[in-house]
Amino acid sequence: LNSRVEDGAEDPPAFLGCFRDVLVDSRLVLPGDVPKDSDVQANIVAGCSDRDKCEESPCQNRGRCVSQGWRRYACECHRPYEGDDCADEYITGRFGNKDLESYAMFSLDNNPGVSVVISMFIRTRQSSGLLLILANTTSQYLRLFLVEGRVKVQVNNFETLVSQNTVNNGHFHLVAVKLEGTAATLFLSAQSQGSMAIRRVQTHPDDLVFVGGLPDSRASASFGGYFKGCVQDLRINSKRLQFYPVSTPVESYNLEKLVGVSEGCSSDNACAANPCLNGGECYSMWDDFICSCPPNTAGQRCEEVKWCELSPCPVTTICQPLSQGFECNILWYHSNRKIKSNLSSVSLSFRTRQSEAVLLHAQRESNHITVSLLDSHLVMEFLGRADNDSLKVTAQSLAPLSDGEWHFVSISKERQIPTSRWIMDVDGHQEYISVSRAAAGDFNFLRDGADIFLGGLSQESGLTFSGCLGPVEIGGLHLPFHLETELNLPRPQEEQFVRGNSNNSPQYGCWGATVCAPNPCQNGGMCDDLFNHHRCTCPSEWTGSLCQDQTDTCNSHPCVYGNCTNLSEGYKCECELGFTGEQCEVEMDMCENSSCNYGATCLKGFHSYTCLCPRNMTGHFCELPQLPASFCVGTRWNYNCFNGGNCSEAENTCYCLPGFTGQW
């Protein structure tokens, strides 16, 4: 075959199909045997197969193959892939790498239309940050940012919508916002997160799109600061916004500025700061870390030491883990078998922040008394015998007492006829407890061989109390903290409770854990030690339990009709047109100082005002008298001459006074 192509004309497309019995000068040309190294033929195979090209699965990355006729196909690609075979992936932009400021700015070169859909893939572990802003020369009319891990949409400064699900788990999420007429809808991974009514939004050419932040860092801080994470396949309707262009030609908006945005979706090395404590080994994840903790440690950073697994306590005690370590001291007492006084009261003072603990327990056979903390309330349980009948009394304080302050408690029995009444006195306030039907027994079972424990139920059960105990008395007799061998002189009193010999010794004095050393308060905060608890007093520009959060003066939305900007000394409101005041709460009255004259009515607008003149006045400010009009009769129609003009002898014209012109 031979064909001629005119000079300058494009070559016709290559033939796709089959030839059979091609003869040139009666000589068979096709099909024919040709040596493999010959350049006479290219991309020619024997036979004439009409097999569907889609059967070869040419579309990559889960793309869907659509047959286009004989030996032709097209691929429908899933986002974020593009190209004839879906092999081209849109390049991801990494924002906030190493916590640096970063943002991108695009300009629109067309009107997207009545319906605007903004969509993108995002990946982050941050709970806050600015995603996208659409702005014109006067305002930011669409904002997308993260609040507590959720996507928040704000339209025209006022209408807001927040997603139900969070997106800061380190996985990619498809975020889409649809603006159509007076409705806005938010989608996460094609699932609707809700809709809201809005004022109509209109986009125009030359509007700007900011991604990841704004050029002004303080303005970005109003929306959670610069975004830290990855953005991929950003689109407005079907038109792309590419940080780094792909090889496949696609219609895209113009990239005006790219600051601190790197190619790909790399991760910060979270292990560089050695976050794992107590010998834990750090393994990096995407923008996160995980600690492999050694034995006897736990917690995200291996910060919790399981002290009791190291068996620190004597064999006669049981280790009790505490927030700052461990404890294994229980004090054991018994009487000296010389007590003859009637035992009908218990008094003690204590200081703790524990909500559940045993302060005192004494038992002999079936009789027992227990003073403990339950849900921060002091509880006394007494089981005794009176006249061969068992009697159980349970009492509880009205107020919680686990507040780290000293509390003084006295439990006593008043003898009355025919009943006995138990009274609990907490810090000098008597609280009615119980009235028994029969005469309640005393604590006299403690006089002969009963075991009394402070800090737990027994030596075998282990310590449950962590805090400070002041003087403890039963029936007016002290439970001494010192052994007889520790005194220079023996106690002379005949009736005594004696502390048993053990490996446990109390620590004298009262102090809590060193909660303020090192100082947990950040950014110059002052730490107050409140006994096993601390409180941070923060500078005015910081807040939070550890002064870790910058004070967001705009968080309360002080600007009624305007945009709020955080300042070091407070905030500043940029008011919308037509409003003024420190918080943009005052609607401007443009007619307040108007120049309308002679009883004219002032009509106010956002920028200025207009004077509605009386019938006899005219001019911009109604400062000129309204000149009379002349009624003229013409041959074809009647007409008027205004502003003092007179009828002319010529048809349909007027004689005008000086200063006026025109046909009428």
Side-chain angles (χ1 to χ4, degrees), residues 160-180:
T160 58
L161 180 64
V162 181
S163 67
Q164 304 166 17
N165 302 326
T166 58
V167 295
N168 61 334
N169 59 359
H171 300 301
F172 273 104
H173 296 269
L174 179 60
V175 179
V177 178
K178 183 178 182 180
L179 307 177
E180 189 169 24

Side-chain angles (χ1 to χ4, degrees), residues 339-360:
I339 299 176
K340 295 182 172 41
S341 302
N342 190 56
L343 305 180
S344 59
S345 65
V346 174
S347 65
L348 55 86
S349 58
F350 66 95
R351 182 187 190 190
T352 187
R353 287 194 178 274
Q354 277 186 293
S355 59
E356 318 280 337
V358 173
L359 279 70
L360 179 147

Side-chain angles (χ1 to χ4, degrees), residues 50-62:
D50 60 352
R51 181 186 177 188
D52 188 351
K53 194 71 174 176
C54 286
E55 294 181 11
E56 302 174 9
S57 301
C59 302
Q60 303 180 34
N61 298 304
R62 300 180 297 110

